[in-house]
Amino acid sequence: MLLEMALNYRVAVYDAYINDILEAILIHIPEKLKSGKKTLTNQEALEFSEAGTLIEYLTNQQMVEFGYESVKDQVQWIFNNFGFSILPRNTDLPKLVELMERQNLFVHANGIVGAKYLKTVGSTPFKVGDRMDVTDLYWFEADQLLTHIGMTVVTSVSAVFGLSAIPST
């Protein structure tokens, strides 16, 4: 159970990291918001007296919408809108999809496999009703995947947006 909780937290940190980076890009390069299909009502427009506030509002709306997309759609959206892939390798997409779906099972179904997991993940040894767990190996591989994605994102953002130096921590 400890590894399940650790996995939930690790995925939550990953989600926050991706959202924070995308939000920063959209706020600092608001032209990227032009591709959105949303329109504002007159009432919504009148509520914003400063352009910065409006940009932050539109960015937040975009990120909320992004959060409800499937992992595959999120990866594609980032590529379409920013010109880079968050995945170190194309073969990482099924691994990321399975990881996110497994974490979703722990959060919402106490780790019990359901039809949505099977449909989304595809090939799996599990069947509806099975209880999943997190082994030491699974935890290690999941952590490595998310770490490599994080490094790929930093490198890609730096290259695409012309950042010459990334501050060290």
Side-chain angles (χ1 to χ4, degrees), residues 75-143:
V75 169
Q76 189 63 50
W77 186 87
I78 292 168
F79 183 79
N80 291 345
N81 287 281
F82 302 115
F84 65 87
S85 175
I86 66 170
L87 300 173
R89 298 170 298 272
N90 289 339
T91 57
D92 289 334
L93 183 58
K95 296 174 191 173
L96 182 61
V97 167
E98 194 283 330
L99 170 60
M100 302 305 271
E101 287 298 319
R102 184 178 295 217
Q103 185 265 350
N104 193 47
L105 287 179
F106 289 129
V107 171
H108 299 289
N110 197 27
I112 306 299
V113 175
K116 181 184 180 294
Y117 173 88
L118 296 177
K119 180 180 178 190
T120 304
V121 171
S123 178
T124 178
F126 300 104
K127 58 185 184 303
V128 171
D130 285 351
R131 171 79 166 77
M132 298 187 121
D133 64 353
V134 177
T135 64
D136 290 340
L137 179 61
Y138 187 88
W139 161 254
F140 176 78
E141 290 175 348
D143 182 57

Side-chain angles (χ1 to χ4, degrees), residues 13-47:
V13 169
Y14 160 83
D15 275 340
Y17 172 78
I18 295 295
N19 279 1
D20 287 350
I21 288 178
L22 297 179
E23 190 173 300
I25 294 169
L26 291 173
I27 286 172
H28 293 288
I29 308 173
E31 299 80 35
K32 296 288 183 184
L33 290 166
K34 291 180 182 178
S35 64
K37 298 173 184 108
K38 299 280 183 189
T39 57
L40 290 177
T41 65
N42 289 345
Q43 179 64 36
E44 289 170 323
L46 292 172
E47 291 176 14

Side-chain angles (χ1 to χ4, degrees), residues 146-167:
L146 296 179
T147 298
H148 288 133
I149 289 172
M151 293 182 335
T152 299
V153 169
V154 168
T155 303
S156 298
V157 167
S158 298
V160 169
F161 297 107
L163 304 175
S164 60
I166 299 170

Side-chain angles (χ1 to χ4, degrees), residues 45-97:
L46 292 172
E47 291 176 14
F48 302 102
S49 59
E50 299 177 8
T53 306
L54 177 58
I55 290 169
E56 289 171 10
Y57 172 80
L58 293 172
T59 296
N60 184 54
Q61 293 300 101
Q62 180 62 63
M63 295 316 300
V64 167
E65 186 177 309
F66 175 83
Y68 286 106
E69 296 292 331
S70 71
V71 173
K72 289 178 184 177
D73 289 343
Q74 288 178 349
V75 169
Q76 189 63 50
W77 186 87
I78 292 168
F79 183 79
N80 291 345
N81 287 281
F82 302 115
F84 65 87
S85 175
I86 66 170
L87 300 173
R89 298 170 298 272
N90 289 339
T91 57
D92 289 334
L93 183 58
K95 296 174 191 173
L96 182 61
V97 167

